[in-house]
Amino acid sequence: MLYLIIKAAVSGVMIALGSEVARRYPGWGALIISLPLVSILGMIWLWRDTGDEARLADHAQATFWFVLPSLPMFLIVPALLRRGVAFWPALAVGCAVTVLLYATMIQVLPRFGVRL
């Protein structure tokens, strides 16, 4: 249980750090958050928990494929905000598009031999 608390605390500190920096310096906060810190931490935790190279390789490859459908959200949300759409509806639309793109990715990639 202590290990789980440590993992959550370290991961949470990284997110909190990025959001705190973004309050003062949006660009620097975006840089911190855009770094694949969560993915790196996930790989570290998975390696520590399993030591399984094949599982880690599968995880890293699936992460790559799942990053792609999430990218449009970072264009949709600011575009909607700049057009006067309130934050929560803009975020909801961005998330909905991301979910649809995830579902599409899950359906399409196996047809090309990509295992997620």
Side-chain angles (χ1 to χ4, degrees), residues 11 14-15 35-43 45 59:
S11 302
M14 299 307 294
I15 294 167
L35 294 171
L37 296 174
V38 172
S39 297
I40 291 168
L41 285 172
M43 287 189 281
W45 302 139
H59 169 77

Side-chain angles (χ1 to χ4, degrees), residues 72-83:
M73 179 178 67
F74 298 102
L75 297 174
I76 292 168
V77 171
L80 291 174
L81 291 172
R82 289 186 178 113
R83 285 179 174 73

Side-chain angles (χ1 to χ4, degrees), residues 78-95:
L80 291 174
L81 291 172
R82 289 186 178 113
R83 285 179 174 73
V85 177
F87 170 73
W88 291 111
L91 183 62
V93 169
C95 290

Side-chain angles (χ1 to χ4, degrees), residues 62-77 92-110 116:
T63 299
F64 168 81
W65 289 110
F66 281 124
V67 163
L68 297 178
S70 70
L71 293 177
M73 179 178 67
F74 298 102
L75 297 174
I76 292 168
V77 171
V93 169
C95 290
V97 169
T98 300
V99 168
L100 290 172
L101 291 172
Y102 280 152
T104 302
M105 184 78 76
I106 289 168
Q107 293 295 316
V108 171
L109 284 181
L116 297 174

